[in-house]
Amino acid sequence: MKSNIPRQGVLQPLLATLPATDVPPLQADALSQAARAALDALRLEAESANTTHSYQGALRYWAAWYWLRYGQAIALPLPTTVVLQFIADHGERVAESGLVCDLPASIDAQLVQAGFKGKMGALAHSTLVHRIAVLSKAHSRKALLNPCHDAHVREALSHLRKAYARRGALVQKKAALTRLPLEQLLATCDDSLKGLRDRALLLFAWASGGRRRSEVAEARMEWLQALGPDQYLYDLRLSKTNQSGVDRPENLKPVVGPAGAALAQWLQAAGISEGPIFRRVFRNGRVGDAALTPLSVNNIVKERCALAGIEGNFSAHSLRSGFVTEAGRQSMALVDTMAMTGHQSASTVLGYFRAEAPLANKAARLLEDPGTEK
């Protein structure tokens, strides 16, 4: 393949006419400090606030643990032995005395007292795996030899997951808010500003395809198109599966029926015509200017569950899983459901679709007389 770069002899006369500059020349084999700072700024801008906060929190914990465990400041790259020690310190295992981990109690207490840990004891499996993933990413960003890719680390993590699974210690999926429990939540929403907001938020999140809490928090009027009375199209510009903001038809999510009516009532009552759709409502009835945080969206779901007297492991994600589960119950086409949710994997959606399939399996009723099925 021929190169498109002009030959040096052709360019030389032209380059010689360029005026001299007072900017020192760069080294082609090394990235400048200013370029590094610019690329870091772009990365921080591209990442969600939740991701950045979670990433920084994990690295702070690594630094504090390393300081207390090894008596010196952490420096990358870390040897594989340090990552294995981290797993041993924070992963629970069965011993004669019960469940134990290797983190000394005095160090554990210091980490809790300094605010690096929430409570004494082993980390949850998901937290431990996340912190190792963050360390792995930190090595990859700096193009360093990654200890998290070592076969011994991978094997230890595999053993950890299997051990937790055998004793039922892995985090279970959040309960699904299907149509019936969702209606119970909506019944707790009165006609106050807070009630109107929460009703609109719950219906917007559920009926537009089970939006993630970050997507609800980031919803803006500029991306909402009114089609008629109580009918909207919401342009989901950014999502977990479209972080680059690619313009595509499936970005458009309908907000119609009860969801459209609730959204229209909230926007009119709150006087919102631009900016964030879902905002804080103060005790004096004033509507704030800033958007709700993803944590606030999660808290709203939990608060409404408590008011409705619904017991279970519910969160904002329960709206998403509830939408998909209800779609399965009502025999919605898989392709239509995925168009609404934005799932890229059919297997993930089928997991919800099949949630209640065992009871509907005719092979489980071979001992029953024909016509006795319910």
Side-chain angles (χ1 to χ4, degrees):
M1 182 182 293
K2 293 184 177 180
S3 173
N4 292 323
I5 301 177
R7 289 176 299 173
Q8 189 70 15
V10 176
L11 278 179
Q12 195 68 33
L14 177 61
L15 296 177
T17 64
L18 294 176
T21 175
D22 59 353
V23 178
L26 297 173
Q27 298 296 321
D29 59 350
L31 193 62
S32 71
Q33 191 67 28
R36 290 183 185 278
L39 293 173
D40 283 342
L42 281 172
R43 174 179 56 79
L44 292 173
E45 185 179 352
E47 290 180 345
S48 69
N50 275 354
T51 300
T52 301
H53 179 75
S54 175
Y55 183 87
Q56 292 175 343
L59 290 181
R60 283 195 297 269
Y61 185 85
W62 271 101
W65 170 82
Y66 190 90
W67 177 268
L68 293 173
R69 207 66 165 107
Y70 294 95
Q72 57 184 316
I74 194 170
L76 303 185
L78 291 181
T80 300
T81 50
V82 171
V83 182
L84 291 172
Q85 184 66 56
F86 190 87
I87 295 173
D89 274 6
H90 298 93
E92 276 186 325
R93 67 183 188 281
V94 177
E96 291 183 0
S97 58
L99 292 174
V100 298
C101 60
D102 282 357
L103 186 63
S106 59
I107 291 180
D108 200 4
Q110 286 180 275
L111 289 168
V112 172
Q113 185 176 5
F116 293 102
K117 282 186 73 180
K119 60 181 181 180
M120 298 272 289
L123 297 177
H125 178 266
S126 57
T127 304
L128 175 51
V129 171
H130 174 262
R131 289 191 174 160
I132 292 177
V134 168
L135 183 73
S136 177
K137 192 171 184 179
H139 280 80
S140 297
R141 281 179 175 172
K142 295 180 180 294
L144 299 172
L145 182 64
N146 196 335
C148 304
H149 291 170
D150 185 90
H152 294 91
V153 172
R154 291 181 179 274
E155 184 180 37
L157 289 174
S158 175
H159 292 163
L160 182 78
R161 180 174 181 80
K162 290 175 182 177
Y164 273 57
R166 284 183 179 276
R167 58 178 181 264
L170 293 182
V171 176
Q172 300 299 311
K173 290 183 177 180
K174 299 296 184 182
L177 281 170
T178 50
R179 180 173 177 174
L180 180 58
L182 175 67
E183 289 175 345
Q184 292 177 274
L185 264 63
L186 295 174
T188 69
C189 300
D190 56 23
D191 290 332
S192 66
L193 272 174
K194 185 177 180 182
L196 291 174
R197 180 203 63 190
D198 290 0
R199 182 187 295 116
L201 184 151
L202 292 169
L203 283 168
F204 173 88
W206 198 93
S208 67
R211 303 276 57 85
R212 300 175 178 88
R213 61 180 185 175
S214 59
E215 295 166 357
V216 175
E218 294 167 359
R220 297 186 62 84
M221 288 296 297
E222 292 82 354
W223 304 336
L224 186 69
Q225 178 185 356
L227 301 179
D230 303 341
Q231 296 186 56
Y232 299 91
L233 270 182
Y234 182 72
D235 189 352
L236 187 64
R237 300 287 181 88
L238 296 171
S239 67
K240 184 177 180 180
T241 55
N242 185 20
Q243 297 189 29
S244 298
V246 178
D247 186 12
R248 52 195 188 190
E250 56 266 36
N251 290 354
L252 298 176
K253 310 297 180 184
V255 184
V256 297
L263 183 58
Q265 291 172 359
W266 157 245
L267 294 176
Q268 181 178 7
I272 297 174
S273 58
E274 61 182 5
I277 293 177
F278 300 108
R279 313 178 184 193
R280 181 179 176 183
V281 176
F282 294 92
R283 291 184 179 180
N284 61 5
R286 184 176 70 85
V287 177
D289 296 325
L292 290 175
T293 65
L295 178 60
S296 296
V297 175
N298 197 54
N299 289 339
I300 288 171
V301 174
K302 289 179 173 292
E303 288 169 6
R304 291 297 169 181
C305 284
L307 288 173
I310 298 177
E311 297 182 357
N313 189 22
F314 293 102
S315 72
H317 188 74
S318 299
L319 296 169
R320 184 167 176 80
S321 60
F323 176 87
V324 181
T325 303
E326 188 66 36
R329 283 182 178 180
Q330 298 192 29
S331 301
M332 294 293 120
L334 179 63
V335 65
D336 291 338
T337 302
M338 292 179 66
M340 290 288 288
T341 63
H343 278 105
Q344 299 295 302
S345 169
S347 61
T348 302
V349 182
L350 285 172
Y352 294 106
F353 269 46
R354 295 169 178 160
E356 299 176 7
L359 293 178
N361 191 336
K362 292 184 178 182
R365 303 180 183 277
L366 295 179
L367 293 173
E368 297 181 1
D369 294 329
T372 62
E373 296 181 23
K374 296 181 180 180

